[in-house]
Amino acid sequence: MQPGPVFGNMDKFVGLGVFVDTYPNEEKQQEAQKRRYSPAVQRVFPYISAMVNNGSLSYDHERDGRPTELGGCTAIVRNLHYDTFLVIRYVKRHLTIMMDIDGKHEWRDCIEVPGVRLPRGYYFGTSSLTGDLSDNHDVISLKLFELTVDRTPEEEKLHRDVFLPSVDNMKLPEMTAPLPPLSGLALFLIVFFSLVFSVFAIVIGIILYNKWQEQSRKRFY
């Protein structure tokens, strides 16, 4: 995790970001220009959104992440006298985000996205950032649970072969995925055949050179 402008984290990150945005930058700009989104697409803040990034996308603060948003929902979490909860569940490439913000201990759906591909070996972290207006929120606890999921051998292979985050049916700019390291045998074979090819090329070159010299002497005499 590196400090940066995306809610305190670096831009062009690699992974899944879930944002709780408390200030409507784009809506305020729209109001200043006496323009407004239609009610069907206008968002009410505070707002929860999710974004999957392979390191090639920038989070657009001026538009509150709208161009890269996978989904979102309104979450009125200011000035409450009880704890609020957010759950992020990822099972078999299915991302589900739910919230409990009414003090009733009941989960409400927020975001549901199928086809999310996340590599193994990632980390969890939280960060925050404010602009000209200050806001105060406390992260009381962060609980992690490993879910037991039965996978077929094909599903296990597909899960293991994911090297960069992606979302099915969502085109992300291409990035070069890290290649798996070569085994000792593969490395030996590559070096061996490279040497054989080099020796073969040298021998062919000497033969052709000798023939060229012989043809030159015949023409001279």
Side-chain angles (χ1 to χ4, degrees):
M1 189 170 186
Q2 301 177 28
V6 183
F7 298 92
N9 190 35
M10 64 180 291
D11 197 8
K12 295 188 176 181
F13 60 91
V14 179
L16 167 70
V18 178
F19 311 123
V20 183
D21 196 348
T22 59
Y23 187 78
N25 292 290
E26 186 176 27
E27 271 70 10
K28 293 297 183 183
Q29 293 176 12
Q30 293 277 337
E31 289 179 7
Q33 298 171 6
K34 296 184 179 180
R35 298 163 54 195
R36 178 169 293 190
Y37 279 111
S38 65
V41 296
Q42 187 173 8
R43 298 180 293 186
V44 178
F45 285 70
Y47 187 82
I48 298 174
S49 64
M51 171 184 176
V52 167
N53 200 345
N54 63 0
S56 65
L57 299 175
S58 289
Y59 180 85
D60 190 346
H61 263 293
E62 297 299 317
R63 301 192 61 194
D64 302 308
R66 189 186 287 266
T68 53
E69 176 188 318
L70 292 179
C73 67
T74 297
I76 307 302
V77 294
R78 275 199 181 96
N79 302 322
L80 301 178
H81 301 291
Y82 47 82
D83 291 342
T84 56
F85 302 88
L86 181 71
V87 62
I88 304 168
R89 191 170 186 263
Y90 178 65
V91 178
K92 287 189 173 182
R93 300 183 179 176
H94 202 101
L95 174 67
T96 305
I97 298 176
M98 296 182 289
M99 58 185 179
D100 174 10
I101 61 173
D102 300 318
K104 299 179 180 179
H105 302 288
E106 296 177 354
W107 293 114
R108 288 168 46 191
D109 293 336
C110 178
I111 301 172
E112 187 170 359
V113 185
V116 176
R117 301 168 185 255
L118 298 178
R120 295 177 174 180
Y122 274 22
Y123 298 86
F124 296 87
T126 60
S127 64
S128 63
L129 187 70
T130 186
D132 295 333
L133 301 178
S134 62
D135 217 344
N136 181 72
H137 299 272
D138 298 317
V139 179
I140 305 300
S141 66
L142 183 64
K143 298 180 180 180
L144 309 178
F145 301 92
E146 183 176 359
L147 304 180
T148 302
V149 179
D150 292 328
R151 290 191 177 94
T152 64
E154 292 78 11
E155 289 176 331
E156 182 64 28
K157 183 179 184 304
L158 289 173
H159 182 65
R160 188 173 58 249
D161 291 345
V162 176
F163 297 106
L164 280 176
S166 63
V167 182
D168 291 349
N169 301 320
M170 179 181 177
K171 182 66 174 178
L172 296 180
E174 293 295 333
M175 292 289 288
T176 302
L179 296 176
L182 293 174
S183 65
L185 177 60
L187 187 60
F188 169 77
L189 291 175
I190 290 175
V191 173
F192 175 76
F193 284 112
S194 297
L195 289 175
V196 170
F197 178 77
S198 299
V199 172
F200 180 75
I202 291 172
V203 171
I204 294 297
I206 292 174
I207 293 173
L208 292 175
Y209 178 73
N210 289 335
K211 285 189 174 182
W212 175 80
Q213 277 194 327
E214 185 177 348
Q215 291 292 334
S216 298
R217 284 196 298 271
K218 287 181 180 179
R219 286 196 300 270
F220 182 75
Y221 292 111

